[in-house]
Amino acid sequence: MAAIETAALTKKFNGFVAVDGINLKIKKGELFALLGPNGAGKTTTISMLSTLLKPTSGKALVNGHDVVKEAAKVRQSIGIVFQDPSLDDQLTAMENLDIHGRLYHMAGNERRKRIREVLEMVDLADRADSIVKTFSGGMRRRLEIARGLMHSPEVLFLDEPTLGLDPQTRRHIWDYIKKLNREGVTVLLTTHYMEEADALADRVVIIDRGRIVAEGTPSSLKDSIGGDVIKISCSKPEELKKAMEKCECDITSEPRITEEGLVINVKKAEEVIPKIFDISAKNSIEVKSITYKEPSLEDVFLHYTGRAYREEEGSEKDRLKMRMRVMRGRR
Amino acid sequence: MIGDIYAIYLREMIRLKRSKVRLITTIVMPLLWLGIIGNAFNSAFQSSMKIDFISFLTPGIMVMTMAFTGTISGITTVFDREFGFLKEMLVAPVKRESVLIGKMLGGVTQSIFQGVVILILGLLMGMKLVNSPITAISGMLLTMFLVSMAFVSLGLAVASKMSSMEGFQMVMNFLIQPMVFLSGAFYPVKSLPSWLKWGVKVNPLTYGVDAMRYFSLGMNEFSIWLDLSVLVAFSFILIAIGSYAFRKS
């Protein structure tokens, strides 16, 4: 049985189609990312899967339960970390978790045991009795993740888990996510950060304007648009070009000579670069510099949508959200 | 179900315990009313009525405070919505009704608690109970419960229509204040000009104040059955509106 399965899942708001017939199949234990620009329909998808919104049409099963007909069962079996903070900042970390445990019908001793476990997992055990108001943004996120895990859900939803956090804190959060996934929790995370999906996910679905445009592992997605790009600046580019054409390496398209030097598309740059050195040494060609670039998920997005990634569109809203978070931290 | 309600209620109680500033400010205003206005009018009032003004005023101030506190605590659901905690409750395997009842009981507890504090302040300042303490206290608790329920629900109904805390001041100034002023909390309604009397009579809060005076002082303008019937009806209507609005939002 899949952890999450959807069939033609669709959500319309007054005629605007936010999610347009999405089919997903997420296996148990997978770390799965929904990647897309802001407004692509990620949060709407998560809201439907977590029973906060009713689908307009289509079907979704979470842990085998229908999100419409068996909402209570779905809720009991999932944990969710919302995009916007949802802790009670007048309560202590412990109290937030305790109330959560009660809402998920956990017995008293089970609650106490689990509070210790989840707080230790996110390194907040020493702050159990501090009021959340005094927590930094990163600590709040960690506490929210701990709370999402409190009732040992089979699936954890993370909606933009590192939005507005500094790079160092972001890495820490990534470590926690990887850790809990290793412990067997299925994770569905949404992000509009390419590098986040790349660093974390087993499998990625790229969505744009409510539709799935690509699906696969991060590396298979990148491979699908044709390998790495190597640029060589050298004394005799013509000669090197001829030599390279004869060599037995996975060149994916014909080498070109540009102003920057010789450009070669290959499957795996790290295997080809040593050969370039050998060949140029044999032909006494002087290599001045070699650079290579892996295609990023950004290139994948560009490839499948024909548009550059619309990071800009969301940035205004994100800045506002970030500012609000900072203000809340001060309150 | 009971456990769920208790979880929501527990959170409200922890928040109440933490918000000392809110508790103190809601007690300071009634204290000023009783201490200054109560004493200032005491001698003038006593010569025209058979009762001292502190005794007369205390039930009125109790009702006033409960109307304010009840409405405010209903409105705090807006905070939950703005600061996201409502989502945490809505995504939990808990019925919407449990969330609603837990929040209502939390508001009612807070409101009754403040009413009792004012009663104690009034008694310390010389308020005299006419009825036996048991009758007085049980009757007043019943009245306080009905008044609190009504205003917490009113707060919930208002809150679900409000998108920010800005509307809050408006509700207080244009709805709750006039109700308090027209309730006979501060003056006897017997000798009012007829246009004003009309305003007092259509105001449900009047019957709350009247019931409080009946149970504590044994004086009443209307029959106690009328008082209680109006209060019960008023509470039920507002609970219906409040819970409908809450479920809709």
Side-chain angles (χ1 to χ4, degrees):
Chain A
M1 186 186 66
I4 296 173
E5 199 168 355
T6 74
L9 190 65
T10 302
K11 180 74 193 177
K12 293 180 190 162
F13 296 107
N14 302 322
F16 169 73
V17 186
V19 174
D20 192 359
I22 279 186
N23 296 307
L24 284 177
K25 194 163 185 179
I26 300 170
K27 288 186 287 250
K28 278 202 171 147
E30 232 178 344
L31 210 169
F32 195 92
L34 283 181
L35 175 68
N38 286 300
K42 297 174 302 219
T43 300
T44 311
T45 305
I46 283 220
S47 298
M48 285 190 283
L49 293 176
S50 60
T51 76
L52 276 177
L53 281 178
K54 276 207 176 87
T56 311
S57 64
K59 212 176 138 111
L61 297 179
V62 177
N63 297 312
H65 307 299
D66 188 291
V67 294
V68 179
K69 289 180 206 134
E70 299 169 293
K73 279 185 184 159
V74 171
R75 287 180 193 168
Q76 184 75 42
S77 72
I78 60 168
I80 179 161
V81 176
F82 299 105
Q83 188 169 348
D84 299 313
S86 68
L87 294 164
D88 188 331
D89 66 0
Q90 298 197 30
L91 267 53
T92 64
M94 170 97 80
E95 286 162 349
N96 265 293
L97 295 174
D98 182 67
I99 301 277
H100 182 90
R102 287 172 189 274
L103 290 175
Y104 285 78
H105 313 123
M106 296 168 72
N109 48 356
E110 191 193 346
R111 276 203 309 273
R112 280 184 291 277
K113 179 172 152 265
R114 196 63 191 147
I115 286 175
R116 264 202 311 278
E117 282 173 9
V118 293
L119 281 178
E120 255 158 43
M121 168 156 194
V122 298
D123 295 320
L124 283 175
D126 54 329
R127 299 296 301 267
D129 293 316
S130 308
I131 292 181
V132 172
K133 210 187 252 185
T134 64
F135 280 21
S136 68
M139 288 163 76
R140 286 177 196 221
R141 280 270 107 168
R142 271 145 63 195
L143 181 58
E144 290 204 56
I145 292 176
R147 188 180 65 179
L149 290 170
M150 171 81 187
H151 56 286
S152 316
E154 291 167 59
V155 179
L156 184 67
F157 294 103
L158 298 165
D159 196 2
E160 300 278 1
T162 63
L163 185 68
L165 297 179
D166 61 79
Q168 198 194 349
T169 314
R170 177 180 295 178
R171 299 222 166 253
H172 278 150
I173 303 277
W174 287 0
D175 289 340
Y176 295 123
I177 296 173
K178 280 187 208 154
K179 191 159 89 183
L180 63 95
N181 178 246
R182 272 199 302 274
E183 286 170 15
V185 182
T186 309
V187 178
L188 171 60
L189 78 94
T190 75
T191 181
H192 69 279
Y193 297 120
M194 299 286 179
E195 70 276 16
E196 186 158 287
D198 211 352
L200 287 177
D202 300 328
R203 257 190 329 136
V204 179
V205 149
I206 298 182
I207 62 175
D208 184 42
R209 297 176 177 169
R211 287 169 181 272
I212 294 180
V213 294
E215 185 172 357
T217 65
S219 54
S220 74
L221 281 172
K222 285 183 273 189
D223 289 347
S224 71
I225 62 168
D228 301 339
V229 185
I230 306 178
K231 279 177 198 160
I232 310 148
S233 164
C234 59
S235 55
K236 298 167 200 157
E238 282 291 345
E239 266 177 57
L240 186 60
K241 182 179 175 230
K242 269 178 214 150
M244 287 306 293
E245 276 162 357
K246 271 177 252 157
C247 110
E248 281 176 20
C249 22
D250 279 327
I251 297 181
T252 52
S253 61
E254 197 183 329
R256 307 176 294 280
I257 294 174
T258 70
E259 283 170 21
E260 294 167 81
L262 183 63
V263 178
I264 312 170
N265 282 48
V266 298
K267 261 229 173 85
K268 281 207 161 77
E270 53 271 40
E271 286 169 11
V272 178
I273 288 172
K275 288 182 185 159
I276 294 172
F277 283 116
D278 287 348
I279 290 165
S280 37
K282 267 182 215 152
N283 295 291
S284 57
I285 299 166
E286 191 195 339
V287 174
K288 291 186 194 114
S289 75
I290 292 187
T291 56
Y292 85 94
K293 197 176 137 245
E294 284 178 43
S296 60
L297 285 175
E298 216 157 330
D299 299 320
V300 178
F301 185 84
L302 178 73
H303 179 83
Y304 284 104
T305 64
R307 284 177 297 119
Y309 192 65
R310 291 176 293 163
E311 184 111 47
E312 285 306 309
E313 260 175 52
S315 61
E316 184 59 33
K317 201 172 147 204
D318 289 341
R319 268 202 295 279
L320 199 78
K321 262 185 195 148
M322 244 153 74
R323 214 177 302 141
M324 276 173 69
R325 268 186 200 168
V326 172
M327 269 159 56
R328 257 171 233 163
R330 279 194 209 126
R331 229 171 18 108
Chain B
M1 178 84 180
I2 301 289
D4 299 343
I5 294 173
Y6 180 69
I8 309 281
Y9 181 75
L10 184 66
R11 167 178 175 247
E12 298 290 326
M13 290 302 104
I14 297 171
R15 286 174 68 92
L16 180 61
K17 200 175 73 191
R18 294 272 149 75
S19 56
K20 294 199 177 67
V21 182
R22 200 165 86 199
L23 275 181
I24 290 166
T25 39
T26 40
I27 286 170
V28 167
M29 193 169 71
L31 200 60
L32 290 175
W33 271 97
L34 285 177
I36 298 174
I37 305 291
N39 282 307
F41 281 99
N42 214 1
S43 52
F45 193 83
Q46 212 159 2
S47 54
S48 61
M49 299 283 285
K50 291 180 285 293
I51 191 171
D52 64 298
F53 195 52
I54 296 279
S55 298
F56 178 83
L57 189 60
T58 305
I61 300 297
M62 287 169 74
V63 171
M64 173 187 87
T65 309
M66 288 188 298
F68 283 134
T69 315
T71 313
I72 292 170
S73 68
I75 285 180
T76 55
T77 48
V78 174
F79 278 114
D80 275 348
R81 190 164 51 196
E82 279 194 356
F83 301 124
F85 195 83
L86 194 62
K87 263 194 189 166
E88 151 81 357
M89 291 187 280
L90 295 184
V91 82
V94 164
K95 287 207 169 66
R96 301 280 191 272
E97 287 75 14
S98 306
V99 177
L100 180 70
I101 296 171
K103 283 194 114 0
M104 275 185 174
L105 289 181
V108 168
T109 307
Q110 184 190 353
S111 165
I112 291 182
F113 172 75
Q114 294 199 344
V116 170
V117 169
I118 292 157
L119 178 62
I120 292 168
L121 289 174
L123 289 170
L124 289 176
M125 285 189 209
M127 177 198 189
K128 291 172 212 67
L129 294 179
V130 172
N131 286 323
S132 76
I134 299 193
T135 320
I137 287 171
S138 49
M140 285 170 104
L141 277 178
L142 172 70
T143 313
M144 287 197 277
F145 180 77
L146 291 173
V147 171
S148 305
M149 265 324 254
F151 281 89
V152 171
S153 311
L154 179 74
L156 280 173
V158 169
S160 58
K161 290 280 160 225
M162 243 166 63
S163 52
S164 72
M165 285 312 284
E166 277 153 28
F168 171 72
Q169 208 54 44
M170 220 168 80
V171 174
M172 283 309 188
N173 287 338
F174 289 97
L175 192 65
I176 312 299
Q177 293 264 34
M179 280 181 89
V180 170
F181 281 134
L182 278 175
S183 69
F186 312 130
Y187 49 79
V189 296
K190 204 171 275 163
S191 47
L192 293 176
S194 63
W195 65 270
L196 200 54
K197 214 170 207 166
W198 185 83
V200 169
K201 273 189 179 165
V202 298
N203 178 7
L205 204 53
T206 305
Y207 303 91
V209 175
D210 200 55
M212 289 291 263
R213 290 216 176 101
Y214 172 83
F215 287 119
S216 55
L217 312 172
M219 62 184 288
N220 54 323
E221 202 63 37
F222 312 99
S223 105
I224 185 64
W225 297 114
L226 176 65
D227 289 343
L228 291 180
S229 323
V230 171
L231 284 180
V232 168
F234 181 56
S235 302
F236 267 97
I237 292 168
L238 282 177
I239 290 170
I241 296 173
S243 39
Y244 174 77
F246 181 80
R247 237 172 290 143
K248 271 284 187 175
S249 67

